[in-house]
Amino acid sequence: MFLIGVDLGGTQIRIGLFTEEGELLDRKATLTKAEEGPTKVVERIKSLIHEISLPVIVKNGKESIGGIGIGCPGPLDVFEGIIMSPPNLPGWNRIPLKKLLEEEFQLSVYLNNDANAAVLGEYFFGSGKGKSNLVYLTLSTGVGTGIIDNGQLLLGQNGSSAEVGHMSLNPEGPLCGCGNRGCFEAFVSGTGIVRRAKALLEQDLESASALHECEELTTKLIFDAAKKKDRLALEIVEETRMYLGVALVNVIHLYNPSMIILGGGVSKVGAFLLEPAIQFAKERAMKLMADSLEFQLTQLGDDVGLIGAASLVKYHHQA
């Protein structure tokens, strides 16, 4: 059986053809050009799927393709396969992508949140292979979470469970993109870290921080400055470590996983950020849960979304 994965983002569409064992056989990509609206974006998706699937169909027949999996930012109706209104896909209001692609290809189509897809990629082919209780946590522009609970993808009533990024950690904290205050995402996402650093710089205009000299502040610049003992940068990093640790404790107590896998651009800072937060979590979590818990970085790297999308097909065939 062959698997087709579609990683649909606001900037790029990536499509991969995989074997059932997770071997990438071919990939295609194009710019999303989301500003042109959903009709043209859907046509680009169709075109790439036709291109990548044709050689397989000619050689092995359409029945050799198990289906098409799509990972996409939410909000989504994952049960009906409808994209509701993602902020990075303007004009995508209740677009029935599953139906549109099933009509085009006469193949089963599975749509899910990109973090849910990613945890399936880790479960089948990555760091979490063989683990039946697994959390995937991506620290990037935002914070995304996927949960495998006793071998099942945790979805909730309408497919929106495990929004760990919007867990309230401080009700008086910084404003989050969701409109709430003090969310985990507001403290630990790349966007949140930069926003907090800018606010602190504005409050402390007389400080000697090297961050005042940065034309465009980034997470990398903040962490690099902290490693050089820049006082203001260290303040931001220490707060980030603390809130990441607090969130990890909550995740451990909520889901009791055997492994937590960390991915996304912020996680690439590595031990300087992660080790103190993980140590905090291990010390604060209940001993029974903490002692048997592993922490890993994703093995799938930047392809986790693409492999995850294809894994949606594998998961539904095993259900």
Side-chain angles (χ1 to χ4, degrees), residues 28-40:
K28 307 289 180 184
T30 189
L31 295 176
T32 307
K33 298 182 182 178
E35 69 280 359
E36 294 184 3
T39 300
K40 290 190 176 180

Side-chain angles (χ1 to χ4, degrees), residues 3-318:
L3 318 172
I4 294 175
V6 179
D7 183 10
L8 172 57
T11 303
Q12 194 175 47
I13 303 164
R14 300 191 306 150
I15 297 184
L17 175 70
F18 295 84
T19 67
E20 194 173 357
E21 292 73 37
E23 179 187 357
L24 179 62
L25 301 176
D26 195 8
R27 71 163 78 215
K28 307 289 180 184
T30 189
L31 295 176
T32 307
K33 298 182 182 178
E35 69 280 359
E36 294 184 3
T39 300
K40 290 190 176 180
V41 175
V42 171
E43 288 305 313
R44 289 188 190 98
I45 294 170
K46 289 178 179 179
S47 177
L48 288 183
I49 294 174
H50 276 298
E51 191 177 340
I52 209 167
S53 63
L54 183 59
V56 173
I57 293 171
V58 170
K59 185 176 180 180
N60 301 289
K62 182 176 284 188
E63 65 277 6
S64 67
I65 299 175
I68 300 165
I70 306 167
C72 177
L76 312 170
D77 180 338
V78 303
F79 301 112
E80 296 297 327
I82 298 171
I83 298 179
M84 305 301 281
S85 54
N88 59 349
L89 292 173
W92 285 64
N93 298 313
R94 300 192 62 83
I95 302 300
L97 187 58
K98 172 183 168 70
K99 179 182 177 183
L100 293 172
L101 295 185
E102 286 184 340
E103 289 175 350
E104 178 78 12
F105 295 100
Q106 302 301 303
L107 291 168
S108 296
V109 175
Y110 309 99
L111 174 72
N112 217 309
N113 179 278
D114 46 7
N116 285 339
V119 77
L120 287 173
E122 296 288 354
Y123 176 63
F124 286 121
F125 307 118
S127 300
K129 192 172 182 179
K131 304 288 185 181
S132 58
N133 291 281
L134 178 66
V135 173
Y136 175 76
L137 188 63
T138 178
L139 311 174
S140 188
T141 306
V143 171
T145 315
I147 310 289
I148 299 291
D149 181 48
N150 290 321
Q152 299 296 309
L153 181 63
L154 193 64
L155 293 174
Q157 179 179 335
N158 56 20
S160 300
S161 69
E163 281 288 357
V164 169
H166 299 291
M167 180 167 54
S168 292
L169 299 183
N170 181 347
E172 304 302 321
L175 187 67
C176 180
C178 72
N180 204 348
R181 285 194 173 272
C183 294
F184 175 34
E185 183 171 298
F187 287 108
V188 182
S189 69
T191 305
I193 292 168
V194 170
R195 187 179 293 134
R196 283 166 39 238
K198 286 180 177 178
L200 195 57
L201 285 167
E202 289 173 4
Q203 295 169 15
D204 198 358
L205 293 172
E206 303 303 318
S207 75
S209 173
L211 298 182
H212 282 296
E213 310 303 319
C214 298
E215 289 187 13
E216 184 176 354
L217 203 57
T218 66
T219 305
K220 184 179 185 303
L221 287 172
I222 294 166
F223 279 93
D224 286 347
K227 290 174 184 177
K228 295 174 182 176
K229 310 299 183 186
D230 183 285
R231 181 188 62 80
L232 192 145
L234 269 173
E235 184 177 338
I236 293 294
V237 169
E238 287 169 0
E239 186 180 56
T240 303
R241 289 168 173 165
M242 187 269 289
Y243 279 111
L244 176 55
V246 170
L248 290 174
V249 172
N250 291 338
V251 166
I252 293 165
H253 288 162
L254 281 169
Y255 301 114
N256 188 23
S258 58
M259 181 180 286
I260 295 176
I261 300 173
L262 299 163
V266 175
S267 72
K268 292 178 182 178
V269 172
F272 185 67
L273 168 65
L274 301 180
E275 282 189 2
I278 290 170
Q279 186 62 33
F280 179 96
K282 287 183 174 179
E283 290 172 357
R284 297 297 184 98
M286 292 181 181
K287 183 175 175 56
L288 179 65
M289 298 184 190
D291 284 353
S292 59
L293 175 64
E294 294 179 63
F295 286 89
Q296 294 283 346
L297 289 173
T298 178
Q299 294 179 358
L300 303 180
D302 294 337
D303 278 338
V304 64
L306 189 59
I307 296 169
S311 297
L312 287 165
V313 180
K314 186 175 177 75
Y315 176 72
H316 282 280
H317 273 264
Q318 292 191 357

